[in-house]
Amino acid sequence: MVRTVAVIGAGPSGLTSIKSCLDEGLEPTCFESSEDIGGLWRFKEHPDPGRANIYQSVIINSSKEMMSYSDFPPPAHLPNNMHHSQLLIYLRLYAETFDLFKHIVFQTTVVSVRQRPDFPVSGQWEVETERTEGQRESQVFDAVMVCTGHFTQPHLPLKDFPGIEEFEGRYLHSWEYRSAEGLQGKRVVVVGIGNSGGDIAVDASRVAEQVYLSTRKGAWVVSRVGAGGLPGDLVGTSRLDKLLQKLFPSWITWMMEKNLNQSFDHRLYGLQPKHGFFAQIPVVNDDLPGRIISGRVLIKPNIREIRGSSVAFEDGSVVDKVDVVVFATGYNYDFPFLPSGLLANSSHRLSLYRNVFPPGLARPSLAVVGFVCNLGAINPLAEMQARWATRVFKGLLTLPSEEAMLQDIKRDTSTLQNRFACLERHPLQVDHIPYLDSMAEELGVRPNLLGLLLREPGVGLRVLLGPCTPYQYRLRGPGQWDGARQAILTQWERVAQPFRTRMAAQPESKTRASCSLRLTLTLSGAVLLLTLYTRHSLSSLLSHPTGLLYKLYSPSETMWGWK
């Protein structure tokens, strides 16, 4: 019987793992090597090697409603895309509300995690820790949750840049970057156009003489600001949108790229990649196009070589008198405290069933939580993983055989290789809604769309047509939360609240007839697509169409302060 659980790391994944343990009646002890919670999202002026870090200007890419925990909506006053300091406030509120701090041991590093001699029977682990002062201690736990993330080991491929050792300026990895202080009047080359590379190029360009952003393959660039000024990840991210993407993948991809190129032509700006939009996580950056059009950032191809203070690019161009090179080249992943071979590789990826469980364990008592990336927020994925893992620990859910898990990993890897570009540098990628739904199905918490539409049309329509916010996974099943419905019904109110710093004049009310016509057309399409989605016959679903439309009707919610 699993009772005690060691949680390694008190970042967002670690916090939700502690809570998931408590929800299941387990006894968690969380070991955090630093002096506070937050992990990646706690800015450190002088970070220690082996710990995640961010730069001062970081704004989260996901909006607050999409990155929230499923039973803890963010305060309405917080901005939709928060500064890292505000996200830390949210995490602290979460920890305080659910009384998580008393389960965290700070300034304690996990040195090793080893199976006990009787592991095939007990499934227990011996966890050795070291305090900041140097004291070591070993404790036995029934299960372990690894929540250390994947932004701790900088990937610095210097061998790919001939001449870098003789570079006359300064070079650093983005992990070391704090702010643009010290870059005034400098010539800066940023290598890599992921989110960090784009952010640092923009940040540095405000003070530098010139910034050059070097990219091998280009990237699709999206803004945090979506249609109508709404958070971009709340638009086009519904279950209905996902279904349309599945039914018409080429058309949806073409439409997405067309819309992005209407904002600014990626080919004209030197950013056009060869891969389609959904084949790789895009760069989220509101300011990069403006810095390019103003000439403060110049897009360059891959670096061929470095000669003294000159940087030569593959197109033959050369930039002289370069002062700083910033390598935004990603991260390696490593778990030095785990037994070697425990987490084997499977073609660039760790061999983890559902990205959580090593398949070769005699007892499924070790889970890796939050070790994924996707086009969307990580917190809901980590929370779902933690909820699933703790139910497995308790024996309420069972894993398939080792052979079946290995086959599943192989299939999943093959699917990802066909689905995503450059998987060797992005081996943790998953598809947001399908991944959540697959785990939610096993947990018994996947929302019943048809039932919701029939019984609670106001909620059902928002689940189908609105953004796939995490509260949907608290409507039913284990961990059901009474506040989930209200959280869904009021999510747009929380989106609107931060904008109300000045109330503009209200627009004229739209006619009831116009609203009813639009609602009828929307519902008709929703019913048809829902039929495909749930695989129910159209005839049975529409046997009483008038009654169904009556049930589905729900007045539009007050969103921006007017009706």
Side-chain angles (χ1 to χ4, degrees):
M1 175 72 71
V2 171
R3 186 170 57 87
T4 59
V5 181
V7 178
I8 306 175
S13 299
L15 293 177
T16 194
S17 293
I18 298 171
K19 182 180 179 297
S20 295
C21 287
L22 295 173
D23 288 346
E24 292 295 338
L26 302 174
E27 300 174 14
T29 300
C30 178
F31 298 106
E32 168 55 45
S33 60
S34 71
E35 69 280 1
D36 201 0
I37 64 169
L40 173 68
W41 298 108
R42 187 167 57 83
F43 175 78
K44 284 84 65 179
E45 190 64 51
H46 303 288
D48 296 323
R51 291 181 184 166
N53 191 52
I54 50 174
Y55 31 93
Q56 183 63 56
S57 61
V58 166
I59 302 293
I60 64 172
N61 293 335
S62 300
S63 66
K64 64 180 182 181
E65 293 298 317
M66 296 299 285
M67 58 68 59
S68 68
Y69 295 114
S70 61
D71 56 357
F72 195 69
H77 72 274
L78 287 177
N80 285 287
N81 288 85
M82 295 180 275
H83 185 258
H84 62 78
S85 60
Q86 294 164 315
L87 176 53
L88 191 59
I89 290 173
Y90 172 76
L91 295 176
R92 201 174 299 284
L93 286 172
Y94 179 77
E96 290 170 350
T97 299
F98 296 108
D99 203 15
L100 306 183
F101 278 105
K102 68 181 182 182
H103 301 281
I104 305 173
V105 183
F106 290 106
Q107 296 185 313
T108 303
T109 301
V110 172
V111 178
S112 71
V113 176
R114 297 289 181 268
Q115 297 177 11
R116 296 270 292 165
D118 63 346
F119 181 83
V121 176
S122 69
Q124 290 182 326
W125 300 84
E126 185 170 333
V127 178
E128 184 179 6
T129 58
E130 182 177 15
R131 298 280 295 173
T132 304
E133 301 82 7
Q135 308 99 311
R136 290 205 172 195
E137 180 183 5
S138 290
Q139 296 174 257
V140 175
F141 291 91
D142 298 319
V144 174
M145 303 179 83
V146 179
C147 310
T148 52
H150 48 91
F151 296 107
T152 58
Q153 307 292 330
H155 175 66
L156 195 57
L158 297 182
K159 61 181 178 57
D160 295 337
F161 301 92
I164 186 64
E165 290 82 1
E166 287 76 41
F167 178 52
E168 295 177 1
R170 177 191 174 211
Y171 70 85
L172 65 152
H173 190 272
S174 58
W175 181 88
E176 301 176 63
Y177 183 85
R178 300 292 171 272
S179 69
E181 183 64 33
L183 298 181
Q184 290 85 349
K186 305 290 186 183
R187 288 190 170 191
V188 181
V189 174
V190 179
V191 181
I193 198 174
N195 283 312
S196 294
D199 282 350
I200 292 171
V202 167
D203 198 39
S205 72
R206 304 189 192 285
V207 299
E209 175 191 320
Q210 185 65 63
V211 173
Y212 304 87
L213 179 54
S214 170
T215 171
R216 288 182 301 169
K217 298 182 178 181
W220 294 105
V221 178
V222 300
S223 174
R224 295 177 181 86
V225 184
L230 295 173
D233 61 355
L234 296 181
V235 181
T237 56
S238 69
R239 293 179 176 277
L240 185 58
D241 291 310
K242 189 63 187 175
L243 176 60
L244 289 172
Q245 183 189 340
K246 184 177 181 179
L247 293 173
F248 313 107
S250 299
W251 181 71
I252 293 296
T253 299
W254 177 80
M255 284 296 298
M256 177 64 73
E257 294 174 4
K258 180 175 179 288
N259 289 336
L260 290 176
N261 282 323
Q262 284 180 340
S263 297
F264 71 93
D265 190 323
H266 282 62
R267 190 176 303 281
L268 177 65
Y269 278 54
L271 294 170
Q272 180 81 34
K274 293 182 179 179
H275 61 264
F277 177 80
F278 294 102
Q280 192 167 310
I281 295 174
V283 173
V284 181
N285 198 297
D286 304 313
D287 302 320
L288 183 58
R291 307 312 287 175
I292 294 173
I293 202 171
S294 64
R296 305 310 303 149
V297 173
L298 300 179
I299 303 298
K300 304 294 287 183
N302 196 36
I303 293 176
R304 187 178 65 204
E305 63 175 333
I306 297 172
R307 301 188 296 264
S309 64
S310 299
V311 176
F313 298 92
E314 289 182 345
D315 63 354
S317 62
V318 178
V319 175
D320 297 318
K321 298 180 181 179
V322 173
D323 300 289
V324 179
V325 176
V326 181
F327 289 97
T329 45
Y331 291 84
N332 299 317
Y333 48 84
D334 188 25
F335 301 93
F337 49 85
L338 293 179
S340 59
L342 176 62
L343 302 181
N345 282 350
S346 174
S347 181
H348 308 302
R349 304 176 69 222
L350 285 183
S351 185
L352 292 172
Y353 178 64
R354 300 290 183 88
N355 297 84
V356 177
F357 282 101
L361 293 176
R363 296 277 180 175
S365 57
L366 183 141
V368 180
V369 176
F371 196 63
V372 289
C373 64
N374 69 320
L375 179 54
I378 297 299
N379 289 7
L381 274 67
E383 181 185 39
M384 187 66 74
Q385 289 177 329
R387 293 172 67 185
W388 181 56
T390 50
R391 301 281 288 178
V392 171
F393 290 163
K394 290 190 67 175
L396 300 173
L397 296 173
T398 27
L399 300 182
S401 67
E402 179 181 354
E403 182 181 357
M405 286 191 282
L406 289 171
Q407 285 297 319
D408 185 89
I409 293 169
K410 185 177 179 180
R411 284 193 302 271
D412 191 38
T413 301
S414 176
T415 299
L416 291 175
Q417 286 174 335
N418 294 327
R419 168 80 169 76
F420 298 113
C422 196
L423 193 63
E424 67 274 10
R425 291 302 311 144
H426 303 276
L428 314 176
Q429 200 154 338
V430 297
D431 218 348
H432 188 81
I433 295 178
Y435 183 77
L436 283 171
D437 276 354
S438 67
M439 303 190 82
E441 188 73 38
E442 288 196 30
L443 270 170
V445 300
R446 182 176 178 177
N448 181 350
L449 284 175
L450 185 59
L452 283 171
L453 285 170
L454 293 173
R455 292 191 304 271
E456 301 178 79
V459 176
L461 280 174
R462 288 164 177 82
V463 170
L464 176 63
L465 305 176
C468 187
T469 46
Y471 324 120
Q472 298 184 10
Y473 298 104
R474 291 285 182 176
L475 289 168
R476 61 192 287 261
Q480 180 178 345
W481 174 47
D482 291 341
R485 286 163 176 77
Q486 187 63 17
I488 293 170
L489 292 171
T490 57
Q491 58 194 12
W492 286 111
E493 175 64 24
R494 290 189 298 277
V495 170
Q497 183 61 38
F499 293 107
R500 293 176 178 151
T501 55
R502 171 185 175 270
M503 293 303 293
Q506 298 180 2
E508 294 182 7
S509 299
K510 301 201 184 331
T511 65
R512 179 80 175 188
S514 175
C515 291
S516 297
L517 176 60
R518 185 162 55 253
L519 178 65
T520 301
L521 292 174
T522 300
L523 292 178
S524 299
V527 169
L528 178 59
L529 287 167
L530 178 63
T531 303
L532 295 172
Y533 188 88
T534 57
R535 297 183 179 179
H536 282 273
S537 70
L538 186 62
S539 58
S540 63
L541 182 62
L542 299 181
S543 58
H544 298 91
T546 306
L548 180 60
L549 286 175
Y550 176 80
K551 285 175 178 285
L552 287 174
Y553 178 77
S554 176
S556 59
E557 56 198 310
T558 301
M559 181 173 168
W560 305 112
W562 58 75
K563 293 183 179 179

